[in-house]
């Protein structure tokens, strides 16, 4: 059901969904990182996959789970919880890899990445008025990694800023720092 919701949401058929008053509705994919509910805008999501074979890479930080083959293309897989400082994802029957496209700096295209999440829950439509600013305090995830708080069913769910979290320059920097500490001195 979620896969078909994503497929129909991301195909771009017709105009974006609108409320009765004509204001736009935003679509979000909701998922869990451990016990933490999170959301991302559906237009960043290409597809959702069951966890399959991932090839681990040597000297990588815990948030880089490895690479996978996606129809002949090598795609890095990032453990989203571990990247955000939450506990690493324990792969279980509900664990998924969400394939996302992240814009590269300087509008030089996109990078396809897989993000490991504990469980995908649903696709929701949210009115603009239900997007709230990120509070300075009180979120388990660093506010620099959040775009907004999505109000749904009397709960505020953090909207992740995948461009900030998966920024290629920042990831390369974090991997470089890890390698410096992981390699024994000569």
């Amino acid at each position: 059901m979620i896969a078909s919701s994503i497929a129909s949401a991301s195909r771009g058929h017709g105009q974006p969904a609108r409320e009765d008053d004509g204001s736009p509705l935003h679509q979000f994919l909701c998922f869990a990182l451990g016990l933490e509910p999170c959301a991302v805008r559906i237009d960043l999501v290409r597809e959702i996959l069951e966890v399959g074979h991932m090839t681990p890479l040597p000297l990588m930080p815990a948030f880089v789970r490895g690479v996978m083959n996606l129809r002949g293309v090598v795609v890095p897989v990032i453990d989203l919880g571990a990247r955000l400082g939450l506990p690493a994802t324990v792969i279980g029957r509900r664990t998924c890899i969400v394939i996302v496209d992240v814009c590269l700096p300087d509008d030089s295209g996109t990078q396809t990445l897989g993000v490991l999440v504990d469980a995908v829950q649903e696709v929701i439509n949210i009115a603009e008025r239900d997007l709230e600013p990120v509070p300075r305090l009180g979120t388990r995830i660093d506010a620099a990694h959040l775009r907004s708080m999505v109000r749904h069913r009397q709960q505020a769910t953090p909207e992740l800023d995948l461009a900030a979290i998966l920024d290629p320059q920042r990831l390369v920097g974090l991997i470089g720092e890890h390698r410096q500490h992981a390699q024994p001195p000569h």
Side-chain angles (χ1 to χ4, degrees), residues 1-11 29 46-48 120 123:
M1 178 173 153
I2 291 173
S4 63
S5 297
I6 291 170
S8 63
S10 61
R11 274 191 217 116
L29 174 68
R46 282 183 44 185
E47 58 188 300
I48 299 171
V120 170
V123 175

Side-chain angles (χ1 to χ4, degrees), residues 33-145:
L33 297 176
L35 299 175
E36 188 75 25
C38 295
V40 294
R41 292 184 187 247
I42 199 74
D43 59 347
L44 299 174
V45 177
R46 282 183 44 185
E47 58 188 300
I48 299 171
L49 305 171
E50 290 181 7
V51 176
H53 177 73
M54 290 181 279
T55 303
L57 301 172
L59 300 173
M60 288 290 150
F63 69 82
V64 179
R65 293 298 282 259
V67 295
M68 63 180 282
N69 182 334
L70 181 64
R71 292 180 289 285
V73 176
V74 175
V75 175
V77 178
I78 305 296
D79 184 331
L80 199 51
R83 170 65 184 94
L84 294 170
L86 301 170
T89 300
V90 176
I91 295 176
R93 66 178 187 79
R94 295 192 63 207
T95 309
C96 296
I97 297 175
V98 179
I99 304 296
V100 297
D101 286 325
V102 178
C103 291
L104 295 172
D106 306 325
D107 295 326
S108 59
T110 60
Q111 166 76 44
T112 300
L113 296 167
V115 292
L116 193 62
V117 302
D118 287 283
V120 170
Q121 297 163 331
E122 63 184 325
V123 175
I124 58 173
N125 291 317
I126 298 296
E128 187 73 32
R129 69 177 173 273
D130 293 324
L131 298 178
E132 300 175 1
V134 177
R136 293 178 188 241
L137 299 172
T139 59
R140 292 189 59 202
I141 298 170
D142 183 349
H145 295 136

